[in-house]
């Protein structure tokens, strides 16, 4: 466990350095645009009210616009979660399952977050700051913890089925 | 609930306790948490930057700001510059710690909550200090800081414009401590509190690390 924590904290520092690289910031913009596309697609399934321009969602009546900023695409949290999965002693197959499932686990909630914030601006503008800064930050962080815990439980169940070698 | 798999129970309990923890955090944030952080972090920052007259204060009962009087060359006068730093968001580790404690603590939940919150308060103050140091260095490194201030442009820290090893060091250190405060410490504290349960999960994997738990 100590080794896991040490590896993980070093990994966090490395991620923070990597995040300052220009190509990572370009990737971050791309991820934000993809999240905006997915969010606008889902909203438009129910009611065709959103125009997407890059990472910006604009209401067709021109009253509301929401930009999915680089800090809002959960890339940092996802990289931190990936670090925990990679540092954890598990088989390569289970790690791959963890990486893919946690990607969906985090980004699906993030899409829900973006859609809800879009409608919060529309209907409850006074609550936007609170929901954006605090509620959703808390919820996404908790989601990361739940995704990691769920993966550990999955990994543990799966591992117990394998023969244990001394 | 008895039919639920034992691994799923903590996750469901976590979802149930999280809203209460978030509500409690919001309730005591302004009267308790932020003033305490102000005492710890403010004292250190004022000691480290005694010539800058630093102040941490609430802004319209919502966000807290670090305000500093910086003497910026070549300006021949002291200019007050408000540097925006969202202290509230850094305290989100508290509701996460409380949620995890309520779910995973078995032996002495109240003691765990109190001690854990105390330790987290100190680490959160450290994170505020590090972010404060970075913010101050960043402001001092700006070329046109007076013009920006006079134009009433709010100073938000754009990472891509920051240059120099010193700034990068403080930025990275501050961010790392930020994640430790919000994510790593609450998890580590609750691991320490319920070591037997989590070690039970890890027991088959210890040989991979060569650990003797």
């Amino acid at each position: 466990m100590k080794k896991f924590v040490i590896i993980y904290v070093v990994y966090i520092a490395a991620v923070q350095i990597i995040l300052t690289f220009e190509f990572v910031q370009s990737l971050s913009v791309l991820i934000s645009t993809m999240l905006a596309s997915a969010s606008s697609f889902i909203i438009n399934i129910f009611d065709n009210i959103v125009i997407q321009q890059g990472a910006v969602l604009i209401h067709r009546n021109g009253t509301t616009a929401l930009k999915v900023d680089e800090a809002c695409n959960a890339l940092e949290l996802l990289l931190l979660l990936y670090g925990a999965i990679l540092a954890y002693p598990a088989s390569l197959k289970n790690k791959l399952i963890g990486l893919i499932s946690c990607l969906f686990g985090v980004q699906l909630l993030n899409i829900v977050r973006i859609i809800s914030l879009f409608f919060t601006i529309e209907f409850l503008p006074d609550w936007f700051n609170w929901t954006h800064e605090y509620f959703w930050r808390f919820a996404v962080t908790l989601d990361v913890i739940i995704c990691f815990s769920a993966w550990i439980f999955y990994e543990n169940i799966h591992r117990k089925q394998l023969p244990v070698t001394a | 609930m008895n039919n639920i798999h034992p691994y799923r129970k903590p996750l469901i309990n976590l979802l149930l306790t999280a809203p209460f923890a978030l509500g409690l955090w919001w309730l005591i944030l302004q009267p308790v948490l932020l003033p305490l952080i102000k005492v710890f972090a403010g004292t250190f920052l004022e000691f480290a930057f005694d010539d800058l007259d630093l102040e941490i204060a609430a802004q319209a009962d919502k966000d807290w700001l670090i305000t500093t009087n910086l003497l910026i060359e070549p300006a021949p006068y002291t200019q007050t510059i408000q540097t925006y730093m969202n202290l509230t968001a850094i305290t989100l580790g508290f509701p996460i710690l409380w949620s995890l404690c309520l779910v995973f603590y078995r032996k002495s939940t109240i003691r765990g909550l109190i001690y854990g919150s105390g330790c987290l308060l100190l680490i959160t103050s450290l994170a505020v200090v590090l972010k404060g140091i970075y913010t101050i260095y960043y402001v001092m490194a700006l070329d046109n800081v007076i013009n920006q201030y006079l134009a009433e442009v709010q100073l938000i820290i754009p990472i891509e414009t920051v240059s120099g090893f010193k700034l990068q060091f403080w930025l990275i250190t501050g961010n790392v401590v930020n994640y430790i405060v919000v994510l790593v410490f609450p998890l580590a504290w609750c691991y320490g509190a319920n070591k037997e349960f989590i070690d039970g999960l890890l027991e088959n994997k210890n040989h991979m690390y060569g650990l003797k738990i």
Side-chain angles (χ1 to χ4, degrees):
Chain A
M1 180 50 76
K2 280 178 191 169
K3 192 173 180 181
F4 171 77
V5 172
I6 291 166
I7 290 171
Y8 189 54
V9 172
V10 171
Y11 175 88
I12 292 174
V15 163
Q16 291 301 322
I17 294 168
I18 291 166
L19 281 170
T20 60
F21 294 164
E22 203 168 316
F23 77 94
V24 179
Q25 289 179 15
S26 304
L27 179 70
S28 183
V29 172
L30 180 68
I31 293 169
S32 296
T33 307
M34 288 167 71
L35 285 169
S37 299
S39 304
S40 67
F41 175 76
I42 291 169
I43 295 171
N44 285 335
I45 288 174
F46 297 100
D47 196 357
N48 194 21
I49 57 168
V50 177
I51 303 166
Q52 184 215 342
Q53 287 183 356
V56 183
L57 302 176
I58 305 167
H59 199 291
R60 282 191 191 277
N61 64 16
T63 56
T64 309
L66 177 76
K67 186 187 180 193
V68 184
D69 203 27
E70 283 88 76
C72 299
N73 59 22
L75 179 64
E76 278 189 57
L77 272 175
L78 201 59
L79 287 173
L80 293 173
L81 180 58
Y82 278 6
I85 291 170
L86 292 172
Y88 192 82
S91 67
L92 187 62
K93 182 190 164 193
N94 283 346
K95 281 182 182 179
L96 280 173
I97 290 169
L99 295 178
I100 294 165
S101 57
C102 286
L103 172 70
F104 284 100
V106 172
Q107 292 300 11
L108 282 176
L109 186 76
N110 205 21
I111 289 169
V112 173
R113 169 179 166 269
I114 292 164
I115 293 170
S116 81
L117 287 174
F118 182 79
F119 286 110
T120 304
I121 298 177
E122 177 86 9
F123 298 111
L124 298 165
D126 292 342
W127 283 85
F128 177 78
N129 189 51
W130 194 88
T131 50
H132 177 244
E133 287 287 332
Y134 310 127
F135 172 75
W136 277 114
R137 195 175 286 204
F138 172 75
V140 172
T141 307
L142 202 66
D143 182 46
V144 166
I145 291 171
I146 289 172
C147 283
F148 182 59
S149 306
W151 175 73
I152 286 180
F153 295 155
Y154 166 82
E155 206 278 332
N156 191 55
I157 292 166
H158 191 76
R159 185 166 179 81
K160 276 185 173 173
Q161 293 168 352
L162 297 173
V164 179
T165 53
Chain B
M1 289 287 280
N2 289 333
N3 295 327
I4 297 174
H5 193 282
Y7 286 157
R8 287 180 192 163
K9 263 188 180 174
L11 298 183
I12 293 168
N13 288 341
L14 194 59
L15 287 173
L16 293 174
T17 55
F20 293 104
L22 190 67
L24 179 67
W25 166 76
W26 187 247
L27 206 66
I28 68 167
L29 179 70
Q30 294 288 350
V32 181
L33 286 180
L34 289 174
L36 282 172
I37 288 170
K38 179 187 173 179
V39 170
F40 286 109
T43 306
F44 184 86
L45 281 170
E46 282 171 24
F47 176 74
F49 297 92
D50 58 336
D51 54 334
L52 296 180
D53 191 20
L54 274 161
E55 189 184 341
I56 300 173
Q59 188 82 356
D61 292 332
K62 198 169 69 177
D63 289 323
W64 282 52
L65 303 178
I66 285 187
T67 307
T68 172
N69 294 325
L70 292 169
L71 184 62
I72 298 153
E73 294 178 6
Y77 52 87
T78 304
Q79 181 67 61
T80 304
I81 294 175
Q82 286 198 333
T83 54
Y84 177 80
M85 211 174 79
N86 193 339
L87 301 187
T88 312
I90 298 175
T91 63
L92 274 171
F94 285 95
I96 289 168
L97 175 78
W98 297 336
S99 306
L100 290 169
C101 272
L102 289 171
V103 173
F104 288 109
Y105 245 86
R106 300 286 164 88
K107 290 172 185 171
S108 178
T109 305
I110 299 296
R111 199 174 63 185
L113 278 169
I114 292 169
Y115 288 170
S117 301
C119 291
L120 188 58
L121 184 70
L122 291 175
I123 303 174
T124 306
S125 302
L126 175 66
V128 171
V129 167
L130 291 171
K131 281 193 169 286
I133 290 171
Y134 167 73
T135 308
I136 290 157
Y137 282 139
Y138 172 75
V139 171
M140 292 167 90
L142 285 172
D143 292 332
N144 56 347
V145 65
I146 287 291
N147 293 337
Q148 282 199 37
Y149 178 73
L150 292 178
E152 294 183 348
V153 176
Q154 196 180 34
L155 289 171
I156 297 171
I157 304 159
I159 294 169
E160 61 272 12
T161 60
V162 176
S163 60
F165 177 77
K166 198 175 186 180
L167 283 173
Q168 292 285 1
F169 172 78
W170 287 112
L171 172 68
I172 289 164
T173 311
N175 283 347
V176 169
V177 176
N178 193 11
Y179 280 113
I180 288 173
V181 165
V182 176
L183 195 64
V184 179
F185 178 80
L187 278 171
W189 183 263
C190 290
Y191 166 75
N194 201 2
K195 207 164 177 281
E196 296 83 10
F197 172 70
I198 301 170
D199 280 350
L201 299 179
L202 303 176
E203 62 184 357
N204 289 335
K205 306 176 182 65
N206 292 340
H207 67 279
M208 294 178 75
Y209 272 162
L211 294 175
K212 289 176 183 175
I213 297 176

PDB file of all heavy atoms in Angstrom, chain B residues 194-210:
ATOM      1  N   ASN B 194     -10.049   1.823   8.242  1.00  0.00           N
ATOM      2  CA  ASN B 194     -10.660   0.508   8.078  1.00  0.00           C
ATOM      3  C   ASN B 194      -9.716  -0.408   7.309  1.00  0.00           C
ATOM      4  O   ASN B 194     -10.072  -0.962   6.270  1.00  0.00           O
ATOM      5  CB  ASN B 194     -12.001   0.662   7.348  1.00  0.00           C
ATOM      6  CG  ASN B 194     -12.888  -0.522   7.581  1.00  0.00           C
ATOM      7  OD1 ASN B 194     -12.528  -1.439   8.308  1.00  0.00           O
ATOM      8  ND2 ASN B 194     -14.034  -0.520   6.948  1.00  0.00           N
ATOM      9  N   LYS B 195      -8.526  -0.500   7.857  1.00  0.00           N
ATOM     10  CA  LYS B 195      -7.439  -1.194   7.171  1.00  0.00           C
ATOM     11  C   LYS B 195      -7.766  -2.674   6.928  1.00  0.00           C
ATOM     12  O   LYS B 195      -7.455  -3.206   5.863  1.00  0.00           O
ATOM     13  CB  LYS B 195      -6.177  -1.079   8.026  1.00  0.00           C
ATOM     14  CG  LYS B 195      -4.873  -1.133   7.273  1.00  0.00           C
ATOM     15  CD  LYS B 195      -3.758  -0.616   8.168  1.00  0.00           C
ATOM     16  CE  LYS B 195      -2.425  -0.735   7.467  1.00  0.00           C
ATOM     17  NZ  LYS B 195      -1.896  -2.088   7.496  1.00  0.00           N
ATOM     18  N   GLU B 196      -8.432  -3.280   7.938  1.00  0.00           N
ATOM     19  CA  GLU B 196      -8.696  -4.724   7.835  1.00  0.00           C
ATOM     20  C   GLU B 196      -9.556  -5.036   6.618  1.00  0.00           C
ATOM     21  O   GLU B 196      -9.291  -5.979   5.874  1.00  0.00           O
ATOM     22  CB  GLU B 196      -9.391  -5.248   9.098  1.00  0.00           C
ATOM     23  CG  GLU B 196      -8.573  -5.148  10.367  1.00  0.00           C
ATOM     24  CD  GLU B 196      -8.640  -3.774  11.012  1.00  0.00           C
ATOM     25  OE1 GLU B 196      -9.476  -2.954  10.561  1.00  0.00           O
ATOM     26  OE2 GLU B 196      -7.857  -3.502  11.939  1.00  0.00           O
ATOM     27  N   PHE B 197     -10.600  -4.223   6.445  1.00  0.00           N
ATOM     28  CA  PHE B 197     -11.524  -4.463   5.340  1.00  0.00           C
ATOM     29  C   PHE B 197     -10.815  -4.333   3.992  1.00  0.00           C
ATOM     30  O   PHE B 197     -10.946  -5.189   3.111  1.00  0.00           O
ATOM     31  CB  PHE B 197     -12.691  -3.469   5.417  1.00  0.00           C
ATOM     32  CG  PHE B 197     -13.601  -3.501   4.226  1.00  0.00           C
ATOM     33  CD1 PHE B 197     -14.433  -4.588   4.000  1.00  0.00           C
ATOM     34  CD2 PHE B 197     -13.631  -2.449   3.318  1.00  0.00           C
ATOM     35  CE1 PHE B 197     -15.282  -4.616   2.899  1.00  0.00           C
ATOM     36  CE2 PHE B 197     -14.464  -2.482   2.214  1.00  0.00           C
ATOM     37  CZ  PHE B 197     -15.294  -3.565   2.010  1.00  0.00           C
ATOM     38  N   ILE B 198     -10.048  -3.248   3.838  1.00  0.00           N
ATOM     39  CA  ILE B 198      -9.408  -3.006   2.541  1.00  0.00           C
ATOM     40  C   ILE B 198      -8.241  -3.962   2.333  1.00  0.00           C
ATOM     41  O   ILE B 198      -8.007  -4.440   1.214  1.00  0.00           O
ATOM     42  CB  ILE B 198      -8.972  -1.531   2.417  1.00  0.00           C
ATOM     43  CG1 ILE B 198     -10.214  -0.642   2.563  1.00  0.00           C
ATOM     44  CG2 ILE B 198      -8.322  -1.253   1.074  1.00  0.00           C
ATOM     45  CD1 ILE B 198      -9.945   0.831   2.695  1.00  0.00           C
ATOM     46  N   ASP B 199      -7.532  -4.265   3.426  1.00  0.00           N
ATOM     47  CA  ASP B 199      -6.456  -5.256   3.283  1.00  0.00           C
ATOM     48  C   ASP B 199      -7.006  -6.611   2.884  1.00  0.00           C
ATOM     49  O   ASP B 199      -6.340  -7.392   2.205  1.00  0.00           O
ATOM     50  CB  ASP B 199      -5.688  -5.381   4.601  1.00  0.00           C
ATOM     51  CG  ASP B 199      -4.684  -4.249   4.758  1.00  0.00           C
ATOM     52  OD1 ASP B 199      -4.473  -3.522   3.763  1.00  0.00           O
ATOM     53  OD2 ASP B 199      -4.119  -4.099   5.841  1.00  0.00           O
ATOM     54  N   GLY B 200      -8.232  -6.886   3.336  1.00  0.00           N
ATOM     55  CA  GLY B 200      -8.898  -8.135   2.926  1.00  0.00           C
ATOM     56  C   GLY B 200      -9.039  -8.203   1.420  1.00  0.00           C
ATOM     57  O   GLY B 200      -8.927  -9.268   0.817  1.00  0.00           O
ATOM     58  N   LEU B 201      -9.261  -7.048   0.834  1.00  0.00           N
ATOM     59  CA  LEU B 201      -9.374  -6.991  -0.628  1.00  0.00           C
ATOM     60  C   LEU B 201      -8.011  -7.163  -1.295  1.00  0.00           C
ATOM     61  O   LEU B 201      -7.898  -7.688  -2.389  1.00  0.00           O
ATOM     62  CB  LEU B 201      -9.958  -5.645  -1.077  1.00  0.00           C
ATOM     63  CG  LEU B 201     -11.352  -5.280  -0.596  1.00  0.00           C
ATOM     64  CD1 LEU B 201     -11.737  -3.912  -1.126  1.00  0.00           C
ATOM     65  CD2 LEU B 201     -12.359  -6.307  -1.067  1.00  0.00           C
ATOM     66  N   LEU B 202      -6.996  -6.672  -0.584  1.00  0.00           N
ATOM     67  CA  LEU B 202      -5.668  -6.651  -1.202  1.00  0.00           C
ATOM     68  C   LEU B 202      -4.843  -7.902  -0.914  1.00  0.00           C
ATOM     69  O   LEU B 202      -3.772  -8.061  -1.462  1.00  0.00           O
ATOM     70  CB  LEU B 202      -4.875  -5.432  -0.714  1.00  0.00           C
ATOM     71  CG  LEU B 202      -5.505  -4.061  -0.951  1.00  0.00           C
ATOM     72  CD1 LEU B 202      -4.644  -2.985  -0.322  1.00  0.00           C
ATOM     73  CD2 LEU B 202      -5.664  -3.794  -2.432  1.00  0.00           C
ATOM     74  N   GLU B 203      -5.345  -8.776  -0.041  1.00  0.00           N
ATOM     75  CA  GLU B 203      -4.483  -9.834   0.488  1.00  0.00           C
ATOM     76  C   GLU B 203      -3.905 -10.744  -0.603  1.00  0.00           C
ATOM     77  O   GLU B 203      -2.784 -11.226  -0.489  1.00  0.00           O
ATOM     78  CB  GLU B 203      -5.234 -10.676   1.511  1.00  0.00           C
ATOM     79  CG  GLU B 203      -6.443 -11.392   0.936  1.00  0.00           C
ATOM     80  CD  GLU B 203      -7.215 -12.128   2.023  1.00  0.00           C
ATOM     81  OE1 GLU B 203      -6.787 -12.124   3.178  1.00  0.00           O
ATOM     82  OE2 GLU B 203      -8.248 -12.714   1.673  1.00  0.00           O
ATOM     83  N   ASN B 204      -4.662 -10.928  -1.669  1.00  0.00           N
ATOM     84  CA  ASN B 204      -4.168 -11.810  -2.728  1.00  0.00           C
ATOM     85  C   ASN B 204      -3.146 -11.131  -3.621  1.00  0.00           C
ATOM     86  O   ASN B 204      -2.569 -11.744  -4.485  1.00  0.00           O
ATOM     87  CB  ASN B 204      -5.327 -12.299  -3.596  1.00  0.00           C
ATOM     88  CG  ASN B 204      -6.182 -13.270  -2.833  1.00  0.00           C
ATOM     89  OD1 ASN B 204      -5.699 -13.910  -1.905  1.00  0.00           O
ATOM     90  ND2 ASN B 204      -7.444 -13.361  -3.210  1.00  0.00           N
ATOM     91  N   LYS B 205      -2.975  -9.833  -3.429  1.00  0.00           N
ATOM     92  CA  LYS B 205      -2.099  -9.103  -4.358  1.00  0.00           C
ATOM     93  C   LYS B 205      -0.792  -8.665  -3.727  1.00  0.00           C
ATOM     94  O   LYS B 205       0.070  -8.131  -4.378  1.00  0.00           O
ATOM     95  CB  LYS B 205      -2.830  -7.856  -4.874  1.00  0.00           C
ATOM     96  CG  LYS B 205      -4.160  -8.178  -5.465  1.00  0.00           C
ATOM     97  CD  LYS B 205      -4.863  -6.910  -5.873  1.00  0.00           C
ATOM     98  CE  LYS B 205      -6.240  -7.247  -6.432  1.00  0.00           C
ATOM     99  NZ  LYS B 205      -7.096  -7.823  -5.372  1.00  0.00           N
ATOM    100  N   ASN B 206      -0.689  -8.892  -2.411  1.00  0.00           N
ATOM    101  CA  ASN B 206       0.496  -8.383  -1.719  1.00  0.00           C
ATOM    102  C   ASN B 206       1.789  -8.972  -2.276  1.00  0.00           C
ATOM    103  O   ASN B 206       2.813  -8.313  -2.288  1.00  0.00           O
ATOM    104  CB  ASN B 206       0.406  -8.669  -0.223  1.00  0.00           C
ATOM    105  CG  ASN B 206      -0.699  -7.842   0.405  1.00  0.00           C
ATOM    106  OD1 ASN B 206      -1.109  -6.837  -0.161  1.00  0.00           O
ATOM    107  ND2 ASN B 206      -1.193  -8.282   1.530  1.00  0.00           N
ATOM    108  N   HIS B 207       1.718 -10.209  -2.747  1.00  0.00           N
ATOM    109  CA  HIS B 207       2.945 -10.827  -3.232  1.00  0.00           C
ATOM    110  C   HIS B 207       3.459 -10.111  -4.484  1.00  0.00           C
ATOM    111  O   HIS B 207       4.638 -10.141  -4.782  1.00  0.00           O
ATOM    112  CB  HIS B 207       2.706 -12.307  -3.533  1.00  0.00           C
ATOM    113  CG  HIS B 207       1.775 -12.530  -4.691  1.00  0.00           C
ATOM    114  ND1 HIS B 207       0.417 -12.452  -4.559  1.00  0.00           N
ATOM    115  CD2 HIS B 207       2.028 -12.811  -5.983  1.00  0.00           C
ATOM    116  CE1 HIS B 207      -0.146 -12.709  -5.737  1.00  0.00           C
ATOM    117  NE2 HIS B 207       0.813 -12.918  -6.605  1.00  0.00           N
ATOM    118  N   MET B 208       2.550  -9.414  -5.172  1.00  0.00           N
ATOM    119  CA  MET B 208       2.980  -8.722  -6.397  1.00  0.00           C
ATOM    120  C   MET B 208       3.852  -7.518  -6.057  1.00  0.00           C
ATOM    121  O   MET B 208       4.695  -7.109  -6.838  1.00  0.00           O
ATOM    122  CB  MET B 208       1.761  -8.266  -7.195  1.00  0.00           C
ATOM    123  CG  MET B 208       0.953  -9.437  -7.723  1.00  0.00           C
ATOM    124  SD  MET B 208      -0.503  -8.918  -8.594  1.00  0.00           S
ATOM    125  CE  MET B 208       0.226  -8.345 -10.123  1.00  0.00           C
ATOM    126  N   TYR B 209       3.626  -6.922  -4.869  1.00  0.00           N
ATOM    127  CA  TYR B 209       4.450  -5.804  -4.436  1.00  0.00           C
ATOM    128  C   TYR B 209       5.552  -6.260  -3.473  1.00  0.00           C
ATOM    129  O   TYR B 209       6.413  -5.479  -3.119  1.00  0.00           O
ATOM    130  CB  TYR B 209       3.605  -4.768  -3.707  1.00  0.00           C
ATOM    131  CG  TYR B 209       2.969  -3.741  -4.597  1.00  0.00           C
ATOM    132  CD1 TYR B 209       1.902  -2.984  -4.150  1.00  0.00           C
ATOM    133  CD2 TYR B 209       3.425  -3.519  -5.885  1.00  0.00           C
ATOM    134  CE1 TYR B 209       1.305  -2.031  -4.946  1.00  0.00           C
ATOM    135  CE2 TYR B 209       2.839  -2.575  -6.693  1.00  0.00           C
ATOM    136  CZ  TYR B 209       1.791  -1.842  -6.223  1.00  0.00           C
ATOM    137  OH  TYR B 209       1.207  -0.892  -7.003  1.00  0.00           O
ATOM    138  N   GLY B 210       5.475  -7.497  -3.021  1.00  0.00           N
ATOM    139  CA  GLY B 210       6.425  -7.963  -2.023  1.00  0.00           C
ATOM    140  C   GLY B 210       6.189  -7.320  -0.677  1.00  0.00           C
ATOM    141  O   GLY B 210       7.103  -7.153   0.111  1.00  0.00           O
TER     142      GLY B 210
END
